[in-house]
Amino acid sequence: MVAVQLFSWKTLILLPPQASRHDGFTSFNRTLSLNSLPSSGIDSFRFRGNFRVRSQKTGETESSTSNLNLPNDFKSKFDKSLQYKLVLGCIPLYAMSRIVQKIIHELPRHIQSSVGAGLPFACASNSLNKPSLGGIKWSLARFLFLFNIRLEKNVATSLVVLVIACLSFVMIGGILFFKFRKEDQSFEDCLWDAWACLVCADSHLEQKSRVEKVIGFVLAIWGILFYSQLLSTMTEQLRDNMQRLREGAQIQVIEADHIIICGINSHLPFILKQLNSYHQHAIRLGTTTASKQTLVLMSDTPRSEMDKLADEFNTDFNHIDILTKSCNLKMTKSFERAAASTARAIIILPTKSDGYHTDTEAFLSVLALQPIQSIESIPTIVEVSSSSMHDLLKSISGMKVEPVENITSKLFVQCSRQKDLIKIYRHLLNYSKNVFNLCSFPNLVGMTYRQIRLGFQEVVVCGLLRDGKVNFHPNDDEKLMETDKVLFIAPLSWKKKQLLSKEIETENISVDDEFETHKQSRLEKIIKRSKMFLSKGSSDSVQGPRETILLLGWREDVVDMIEEFDNYLGPGSSLEILSDVSIEDRGRVNDAIGSGKIKNIQVSHRVGNPMNYDTLKETIMHVQSKYRKDEEAIPLSILVISDKEWLLGDPSRADTQSAYSLLLAESICNKLGVNVQNLASEIVDSKLGKQITRIKPALTYVAVEEVMSLVTAQVAGNSELNEVWKDILNAEGDEIYIKDIELYMKDGENPSFTELSERAWLRREVAIGYIKGGKKVINPVPKTEPISLEMTDSLIVISELEGDQSTTL
């Protein structure tokens, strides 16, 4: 219908077949009256009309009216070319008209919506619906504004606009060529000529007439502008895509059995080191076939910074392959793109200094993981700052969440009170040495715990895991159940031994007889105490030791440190804090004292820089002047802690401050002649700590950040070990202590480790090793040979109390 209407509107100028441009006259005018099409179609159509001819020579005009019967060849040519012209010419025009119509239709709607919003120039039309000049300007500005917003969201919008503009110019140029060309040429050829002028700048020089050259010139100029803009748009689009690839947010990870680590903090290097060591031993044991363990590191930090860290770690660790993704850790889509449903484990690390913010971020990340399919079978290890968040995360249904409470403050107190304890923790967390293991032994079901404890001679049996709870002190007559798991200390290379029931019974019957025979003699050789105690560090009814502590530095968990010290020390102890933090910002300590949580320690504050010589010297002298000369000497400990903000940002800066304050305190104490029982500092970098202790053996470094990181990594390998470490690192449960050997033997004895273990068992303790001549031995083998120990040596045990504990009669 559109073609018929256009055909009826167009005025056709036709030349007679016998006329040509080289005839006797150079120009003529013909007016052709076009009637409506007959019902028989174009084939039966004939032209009727009149024309005038003016002679060039005489200027006379002849008028003639006749019927024009066109020849058959012209008729055939006209029939074939006319249909192509109509189809090719009308369809693009119709498409363009629809686009313009939609723009015109949508523009008033945007104007009306702006009127309702009360925007400037909201009155875009008067009562007669005739837009004013200001309204038109605002409408154009609004249209450009919406276009720019769309362009910011997607650079490809500019590409679409350029393509539409290019097709429009090709269409307009083709129409103009078809209109002004004098030779007979199809509309399709005119479109191709317009396209040639657009893509090739010198094509307009091939045009013949002046009008055609002008049209071709305009098309050539537009073509240059079009292709320059097209090139810049494609370049920007490519740059945008490459930026997204660099950030890694849109990349779908295609991996299985990989480990996802969310967040970057000071724990990350130690976790990667532990995972690298674990995979290295897995390759040696043949439990894995992959040459490298794939790790996906996710964080909201820029991808470039993450890649720098990954390059450094990949250089140091040969058994892990780190992939980085910069994304939002609170979105489910981020974890879906990281293939969380096929991961081996997911580790969520804190990135905030405030404990509340840390727990909130961790909780939101766990909630983002919940909708993912098959997430209930994947262990999710989350570092939290409080036990309340631990219980909240455990209550989330449909997920296997293993919260690891970050108790670095409590761990620092434990390690600062026992010099070699940090070395024992690092030993038990090193996969190349003896570590905690949990295994089930179906062939040993029904045997008593004593038979199992004495039946394994190459490991140290520490307890049982039953119903998700660890018991370090089961009764000897407790029978092993099918669902129980045995907790023991041994190397990873140690294989589970399937011992014959008959051999174990025979061996343990003789041992039982020996136990009954020598029980009284063993009780005579160990220190006996009553069962009453008032603190973790106390024994008998005597209260805990009285000590003085000078704490250099401040951070939010200092309150937890004070509460931990209060569990070990007796009444009359004092703790003084020196920091450049104002007294008002230390309000949590006063709140804890006011609430009655701190009972045995008197806390005082001093404001000053611990790295200032005069300030530190004055503080040490003030601490010493509190006690009279005739009063019994009270042990003094000087401890240095790191600022939490520095730990999350640049750990090396925290180590520099801690190391300098520690060395400065030692120098001042030596000059003043102050006797210090313990000089310890919190150090993140173990290499720096070893270098300091090598130069100054009297100093102690405590790498609590490293220990907590290794615990997190070990729980990622075996989530059931979380309960073990939670009990050991918590002051409320059993802990690892280094106790004097005089509690277990008399001078001149050379007992075996099995004998020492039995004596420790009478004190409700688990012996796991000893320290001889300053060197620790964990899980000694063989255990039945006599050991030559001095009275200055120590026994390493897992016990509930630090002091001399009561015996089990």
Side-chain angles (χ1 to χ4, degrees):
M1 180 62 68
V2 176
V4 174
Q5 291 177 356
L6 291 175
F7 179 70
S8 64
W9 295 340
K10 184 171 181 60
T11 302
L12 297 178
I13 302 176
L14 303 174
L15 290 175
Q18 67 273 14
S20 66
R21 293 185 179 89
H22 303 286
D23 289 341
F25 54 93
T26 59
S27 62
F28 65 92
N29 296 327
R30 171 179 294 178
T31 302
L32 190 62
S33 299
L34 182 63
N35 298 326
S36 60
L37 291 175
S39 60
S40 58
I42 296 178
D43 292 338
S44 62
F45 177 76
R46 293 294 183 268
F47 287 95
R48 286 191 183 135
N50 52 52
F51 61 91
R52 294 191 183 98
V53 178
R54 179 174 296 176
S55 176
Q56 186 179 11
K57 293 181 179 180
T58 63
E60 298 176 353
T61 302
E62 296 181 1
S63 179
S64 175
T65 302
S66 63
N67 292 332
L68 297 178
N69 296 323
L70 297 178
N72 294 330
D73 57 346
F74 180 81
K75 171 185 173 183
S76 176
K77 182 178 181 180
F78 175 81
D79 293 340
K80 294 181 179 179
S81 63
L82 182 60
Q83 299 178 6
Y84 292 110
K85 293 178 182 178
L86 295 176
V87 174
L88 294 176
C90 297
I91 293 179
L93 287 176
Y94 176 75
M96 288 297 300
S97 66
R98 293 294 298 171
I99 294 174
V100 174
Q101 181 182 1
K102 185 171 182 60
I103 294 175
I104 296 175
H105 177 71
E106 292 291 334
L107 192 58
R109 185 175 63 84
H110 290 293
I111 296 175
Q112 292 177 4
S113 62
S114 301
V115 171
L119 295 175
F121 300 102
C123 185
S125 62
N126 55 19
S127 59
L128 299 177
N129 293 329
K130 294 181 179 180
S132 62
L133 180 61
I136 294 176
K137 290 182 178 180
W138 183 90
S139 300
L140 294 176
R142 172 71 174 174
F143 178 78
L144 293 176
F145 169 71
L146 295 176
F147 175 75
N148 290 332
I149 290 179
R150 184 63 183 174
L151 189 62
E152 289 180 0
K153 294 181 178 179
N154 191 358
V155 184
T157 305
S158 179
L159 181 62
V160 175
V161 174
L162 287 175
V163 171
I164 295 175
C166 177
L167 295 177
S168 301
F169 268 78
V170 170
M171 185 64 61
I172 294 173
I175 294 174
L176 292 176
F177 277 143
F178 184 73
K179 177 71 176 179
F180 291 101
R181 280 183 173 172
K182 296 181 180 179
E183 70 251 13
D184 185 17
Q185 190 176 15
S186 65
F187 183 70
E188 181 181 359
D189 294 336
C190 293
L191 290 176
W192 282 113
D193 288 344
W195 172 254
C197 293
L198 195 67
V199 300
C200 185
D202 58 353
S203 297
H204 72 283
L205 300 177
E206 300 177 359
Q207 305 301 323
K208 297 179 181 180
S209 65
R210 183 180 301 173
V211 177
E212 293 175 359
K213 289 182 179 180
V214 172
I215 297 172
F217 176 75
V218 174
L219 291 175
I221 294 299
W222 170 252
I224 295 174
L225 297 176
F226 168 74
Y227 278 104
S228 62
Q229 186 66 26
L230 179 64
L231 181 61
S232 63
T233 302
M234 295 181 66
T235 303
E236 185 64 25
Q237 181 69 25
L238 181 62
R239 185 183 294 111
D240 183 66
N241 292 337
M242 292 302 297
Q243 181 65 25
R244 293 183 180 182
L245 290 176
R246 292 189 187 99
E247 293 177 357
Q250 306 296 331
I251 301 177
Q252 177 65 46
V253 176
I254 310 297
E255 288 286 347
D257 201 36
H258 58 290
I259 298 176
I260 299 176
I261 302 177
C262 305
I264 298 176
N265 60 9
S266 58
H267 294 181
L268 182 60
F270 306 111
I271 292 177
L272 297 180
K273 180 180 179 181
Q274 184 80 330
L275 295 176
N276 180 78
S277 177
Y278 181 82
H279 194 74
Q280 180 180 1
H281 286 82
I283 294 176
R284 294 178 179 177
L285 297 175
T287 57
T288 183
T289 57
S291 59
K292 290 187 176 183
Q293 173 66 59
T294 302
L295 304 178
V296 180
L297 181 60
M298 302 173 60
S299 176
D300 54 1
T301 57
R303 179 77 181 276
S304 57
E305 299 180 9
M306 298 174 63
D307 287 338
K308 291 181 181 179
L309 291 175
D311 292 340
E312 296 177 1
F313 295 143
N314 286 326
T315 303
D316 298 334
F317 308 130
N318 299 324
H319 298 281
I320 58 175
D321 186 17
I322 304 176
L323 307 178
T324 59
K325 285 180 67 66
S326 178
C327 57
N328 190 347
L329 300 180
K330 306 181 190 68
M331 295 179 59
T332 304
K333 195 66 176 179
S334 300
F335 291 101
E336 290 178 349
R337 289 171 178 160
S341 59
T342 60
R344 175 193 294 183
I346 301 174
I347 303 175
I348 300 178
L349 302 179
T351 57
K352 305 291 184 181
S353 59
D354 189 359
Y356 297 107
H357 290 171
T358 296
D359 294 342
T360 302
E361 296 287 334
F363 185 73
L364 293 177
S365 298
V366 173
L367 290 182
L369 282 167
Q370 193 177 21
I372 297 178
Q373 188 178 5
S374 304
I375 197 66
E376 64 277 358
S377 61
I378 299 173
T380 303
I381 295 86
V382 185
E383 286 192 0
V384 296
S385 61
S386 62
S387 57
S388 59
M389 180 56 63
H390 178 281
D391 299 335
L392 178 60
L393 291 175
K394 291 290 287 186
S395 64
I396 297 178
S397 60
M399 294 190 65
K400 190 179 180 181
V401 183
E402 293 293 340
V404 178
E405 186 177 353
N406 190 353
I407 52 174
T408 54
S409 57
K410 299 180 180 180
L411 185 61
F412 176 76
V413 173
Q414 297 176 18
C415 295
S416 64
R417 292 182 55 79
Q418 302 183 81
K419 186 175 182 179
D420 294 326
L421 182 59
I422 190 68
K423 299 179 181 179
I424 297 173
Y425 281 137
R426 295 180 62 189
H427 180 104
L428 294 174
L429 292 166
N430 191 342
Y431 282 116
S432 61
K433 299 180 180 179
N434 295 274
V435 296
F436 282 111
N437 295 269
L438 280 170
C439 289
S440 58
F441 296 92
N443 58 324
L444 302 181
V445 173
M447 290 189 176
T448 63
Y449 180 71
R450 177 171 179 78
Q451 290 176 319
I452 297 173
R453 180 168 59 87
L454 299 177
F456 295 102
Q457 294 298 316
E458 297 182 6
V459 303
V460 174
V461 178
C462 301
L464 296 177
L465 178 67
R466 177 175 294 177
D467 299 330
K469 300 294 182 180
V470 178
N471 185 6
F472 288 97
H473 312 290
N475 296 326
D476 275 349
D477 56 354
E478 186 80 27
K479 292 186 178 182
L480 185 67
M481 302 175 62
E482 187 176 358
T483 57
D484 293 343
K485 288 189 176 182
V486 179
L487 174 65
F488 58 90
I489 297 176
L492 285 179
S493 58
W494 186 82
K495 301 295 183 181
K496 292 184 289 186
K497 291 189 175 182
Q498 303 295 332
L499 301 177
L500 297 176
S501 300
K502 184 177 180 179
E503 295 178 358
I504 296 178
E505 288 178 4
T506 303
E507 179 182 355
N508 288 325
I509 286 174
S510 60
V511 172
D512 290 341
D513 295 338
E514 181 184 357
F515 173 75
E516 294 295 337
T517 304
H518 300 286
K519 180 177 181 180
Q520 294 299 326
S521 62
R522 287 172 179 167
L523 290 175
E524 294 174 358
K525 296 176 182 178
I526 61 177
I527 302 295
K528 301 179 182 179
R529 298 292 182 186
S530 64
K531 298 182 180 181
M532 297 179 60
F533 58 90
L534 301 179
S535 68
K536 294 280 289 187
S538 67
S539 60
D540 205 307
S541 58
V542 181
Q543 297 170 337
R546 183 184 178 190
E547 294 182 10
T548 300
I549 300 173
L550 175 59
L551 190 63
L552 306 180
W554 174 265
R555 62 172 186 251
E556 291 297 327
D557 58 353
V558 167
V559 179
D560 299 329
M561 294 184 184
I562 298 175
E563 292 178 356
E564 188 74 6
F565 275 119
D566 192 68
N567 292 329
Y568 294 97
L569 303 181
S573 300
S574 64
L575 186 145
E576 187 154 342
I577 303 174
L578 175 62
S579 174
D580 52 5
V581 178
S582 63
I583 302 297
E584 291 76 12
D585 295 336
R586 310 182 195 178
R588 284 191 59 196
V589 175
N590 297 329
D591 295 340
I593 297 175
S595 61
K597 294 182 179 180
I598 301 175
K599 301 178 181 179
N600 301 322
I601 300 178
Q602 181 181 0
V603 182
S604 59
H605 298 273
R606 292 180 70 89
V607 179
N609 192 342
M611 293 183 289
N612 183 277
Y613 180 86
D614 295 332
T615 303
L616 185 57
K617 179 179 178 181
E618 181 183 352
T619 303
I620 295 176
M621 295 176 63
H622 173 73
V623 172
Q624 286 295 106
S625 64
K626 287 184 178 181
Y627 308 101
R628 298 187 303 270
K629 293 183 179 180
D630 57 347
E631 192 176 5
E632 182 182 355
I634 299 177
L636 172 64
S637 297
I638 300 179
L639 309 177
V640 183
I641 61 176
S642 302
D643 188 271
K644 195 66 175 180
E645 294 288 345
W646 291 358
L647 289 176
L648 292 173
D650 186 7
S652 61
R653 184 183 176 188
D655 288 347
T656 302
Q657 182 235 18
S658 301
Y660 181 80
S661 299
L662 181 65
L663 294 174
L664 187 62
E666 188 211 20
S667 175
I668 294 174
C669 291
N670 291 336
K671 290 182 180 181
L672 297 178
V674 177
N675 184 19
V676 182
Q677 180 183 8
N678 190 13
L679 264 171
S681 174
E682 182 180 6
I683 300 292
V684 177
D685 188 4
S686 300
K687 295 180 180 179
L688 177 61
K690 292 179 180 179
Q691 184 178 1
I692 293 175
T693 55
R694 191 180 301 113
I695 299 173
K696 302 284 187 178
L699 304 182
T700 304
Y701 80 95
V702 182
V704 291
E705 294 289 333
E706 179 183 2
V707 172
M708 285 306 306
S709 305
L710 298 179
V711 169
T712 302
Q714 195 171 94
V715 173
N718 186 356
S719 59
E720 292 179 330
L721 291 176
N722 188 28
E723 289 296 326
V724 178
W725 284 109
K726 178 184 176 182
D727 195 293
I728 289 178
L729 298 179
N730 198 326
E732 298 176 357
D734 290 88
E735 303 172 44
I736 297 177
Y737 294 103
I738 303 173
K739 297 191 176 184
D740 295 336
I741 197 66
E742 62 182 8
L743 300 176
Y744 308 93
M745 59 175 283
K746 301 293 184 181
D747 189 12
E749 281 190 292
N750 293 320
S752 64
F753 184 76
T754 300
E755 178 65 20
L756 291 174
S757 298
E758 288 299 304
R759 295 180 183 182
W761 186 255
L762 291 176
R763 296 170 51 86
R764 198 173 173 78
E765 298 171 349
V766 180
I768 62 174
Y770 58 85
I771 297 178
K772 179 181 179 181
K775 296 182 179 180
K776 66 180 184 306
V777 180
I778 305 294
N779 184 28
V781 177
K783 294 180 172 56
T784 55
E785 293 185 359
I787 306 174
S788 178
L789 297 175
E790 303 292 336
M791 299 306 292
T792 56
D793 295 332
S794 305
L795 189 68
I796 305 172
V797 298
I798 299 177
S799 175
E800 188 177 0
L801 297 179
E802 179 186 21
D804 302 335
Q805 195 165 323
S806 59
T807 60
T808 302
L809 299 177

